[in-house]
Amino acid sequence: MRDAVADILAAVREEGDDALRRFTRRFDHWDGDVVVDSAAPPRAVEALDGALRTALERAEEQIRWFHERSRPRDWSDARDGARMGVRHEPVRRVGVYIPAGLSPLVSTALMTIVPARIAGVDEIVLATPPRADGSVDANILAAAEIAGGADRYLRMGGAQAIAALAHGTSSVPACDKIVGPGNAYVAEAKQQVAMAGLCGIDLLAGPTEVAIVADDTADPRHVAADLVAQAEHDPLATALLITPSTTLIDKVEVSLAEEVAGTRHVDRVRESLEGQGAAVLVDDLAQAVDVANAWAAEHLEIQTVEPDAVASRIRAAGTVFIGSMTPVSLGDYAAGPNHTLPTSGTARFTGGLRTDDFLVPVNWVAYDRESLADLAPVVYALGEAEDLPAHARAAFVRLDGEEGGIQ
């Protein structure tokens, strides 16, 4: 896969739109313009079912509330006559990728565009795969408009879409950062363009995963329903139950059989659970926490007698869902925190998509002669230690012009 993605990236870099259209024909079976008519998104909003429009607007409001509060603050302060601080500048152009393969991820439009708009991003370019007739999912377009809108909508998917967003073509402007989940080819393409220094990316998300830490107080129907909900995403999704209770495992197995039999995407769910589903039996909740922290799940549910106490000991998870009334599906759509989250153990060192992912922190310093004189001996000593005398010279030339003037 790595070589195949590299070939796609190279072709789009060298051939631009010609390669993009060729891959779009090959993978998406569409042979036409990649640019979506600017009138289509507003029309999609007007055509929304009333209940769905209300749901999208309510979800947008909740997501906006959370991400406005997570925006990092600018600060400045003075010390020994010097002034310094940090200000945050928005990324100029962001590419947003919205998957539409097994399921059109309508909610991802909210989760990516809302924080980008809060951050003040200058230009948002949205890419989503087309159907064979060239149409794109109308609900994705509508959700994007409700979230604040993209400046350009493009019908393109897969690694070729990431290549176009990173390199730029005649139809697609090159972006400074690319965000949004996708399949393995999208994730690989994001990783390669980031490693090449072409643009930034949010994180490597997918396939999706959930871990549920539960004890005897958990309702087995809740646990089973949440395992099935995660397995519904993808045949490669992972769903784990971590518990010290053999009784709960037995009850969940019974409930799971009922939930799987009744779900719409039964084949997909069974493939996921048979391939990556498991019950992990531990000695106690302390060991359950250790297992959860070691695995660093994208989604971690806590369904125990004292869920807040257990949750307070979690150090690695994309998002922690606390208590029996907080299913992951709530976070997928409307709870507030972002659903674009780290997978494959990367929650050990990074978090989910946030407003500050669309902001660049810019440090600034301002010294006057007196404050420079105070630190110049430090510059001189370290410059000498590193055999970089011009560093010291750049400091003392501003004072008396003599080395002795700063000692």
Side-chain angles (χ1 to χ4, degrees):
M1 180 179 65
R2 181 177 302 172
D3 291 343
V5 169
D7 289 344
I8 291 172
L9 295 177
V12 173
R13 180 187 67 239
E14 295 166 7
E15 303 173 44
D17 278 343
D18 288 342
L20 176 59
R21 282 192 286 267
R22 183 170 69 251
F23 291 125
T24 300
R25 283 196 302 271
R26 176 180 172 186
F27 297 117
D28 295 319
H29 313 294
W30 164 244
D31 187 10
D33 193 357
V34 298
V35 179
V36 176
D37 181 0
S38 60
R43 284 200 304 264
V45 174
E46 293 303 316
L48 277 175
D49 170 79
L52 178 56
R53 180 167 183 167
T54 299
L56 287 170
E57 290 172 346
R58 177 72 191 281
E60 191 275 342
E61 179 185 17
Q62 185 76 2
I63 295 163
R64 179 172 297 279
W65 180 88
F66 180 89
H67 286 79
E68 283 176 343
R69 281 152 184 77
S70 67
R71 192 188 198 281
R73 68 179 183 89
D74 294 350
W75 67 269
S76 62
D77 211 337
R79 187 180 191 205
D80 299 329
R83 295 177 294 113
M84 62 199 73
V86 179
R87 71 175 192 271
H88 295 83
E89 295 294 334
V91 175
R92 286 170 291 185
R93 182 184 292 136
V94 168
V96 170
Y97 186 85
I98 311 294
L102 288 176
S103 300
L105 296 189
V106 176
S107 54
T108 298
L110 301 177
M111 296 289 181
T112 50
I113 293 177
V114 167
R117 288 302 183 198
I118 291 171
V121 168
D122 296 352
E123 185 179 354
I124 297 174
V125 181
L126 185 148
T128 191
R131 303 183 183 95
D133 64 359
S135 64
V136 297
D137 190 272
N139 290 335
I140 288 177
L141 297 180
E145 285 292 288
I146 288 171
D151 298 282
R152 188 175 303 207
Y153 294 84
L154 302 167
R155 46 170 74 85
M156 59 183 192
Q160 64 273 19
I162 303 304
L165 292 171
H167 288 291
T169 71
S170 296
S171 300
V172 183
C175 296
D176 300 303
K177 193 164 192 175
I178 301 172
V179 303
N183 63 18
Y185 286 88
V186 168
E188 177 65 27
K190 287 173 65 178
Q191 186 170 16
Q192 289 191 27
V193 298
M195 290 180 64
L198 292 170
C199 61
I201 62 172
D202 48 357
L203 45 85
L204 301 177
T208 191
E209 57 200 28
V210 67
I212 302 175
V213 172
D215 60 17
D216 278 325
T217 66
D219 187 324
R221 297 172 304 162
H222 296 175
V223 174
D226 293 348
L227 293 172
V228 169
Q230 208 62 32
E232 181 180 46
H233 274 290
D234 191 318
L236 297 177
T238 300
L240 298 186
L241 168 61
I242 306 172
T243 180
S245 172
T246 56
T247 300
L248 179 64
I249 291 175
D250 292 340
K251 290 180 178 179
V252 168
E253 285 183 349
V254 173
S255 294
L256 199 56
E258 297 173 354
E259 291 290 333
V260 171
T263 193
R264 180 185 305 170
H265 303 295
V266 59
D267 292 338
R268 187 190 309 168
V269 168
R270 280 182 175 152
E271 185 176 350
S272 168
L273 293 177
E274 289 172 4
Q276 296 83 232
V280 181
L281 183 64
V282 293
D283 294 334
D284 49 32
L285 286 179
Q287 189 179 33
V289 168
D290 290 341
V291 171
N293 280 329
W295 193 46
E298 176 189 18
H299 307 96
L300 177 64
E301 291 189 2
I302 310 293
Q303 299 187 35
T304 62
V305 65
E306 294 182 340
D308 287 302
V310 174
S312 69
R313 296 162 60 192
I314 297 300
R315 300 186 61 181
T319 298
V320 182
F321 297 82
I322 304 171
S324 63
M325 294 295 112
T326 318
V328 166
S329 57
L330 190 66
D332 283 343
Y333 296 130
N338 213 285
H339 76 194
T340 303
L341 300 169
T343 59
S344 304
T346 57
R348 292 177 295 108
F349 53 80
T350 192
L353 191 66
R354 301 172 304 281
T355 305
D356 54 357
D357 285 302
F358 300 95
L359 294 163
V360 179
V362 179
N363 302 327
W364 63 269
V365 294
Y367 275 62
D368 59 16
R369 192 179 190 284
E370 184 178 352
S371 55
L372 170 62
D374 181 51
L375 278 186
V378 176
V379 175
Y380 178 79
L382 292 176
E384 288 295 307
E386 294 182 350
D387 192 27
L388 296 172
H391 281 58
R393 169 68 178 170
F396 70 70
V397 75
R398 287 169 163 77
L399 299 172
D400 296 335
E402 298 291 338
E403 183 178 315
I406 63 168
Q407 294 181 327

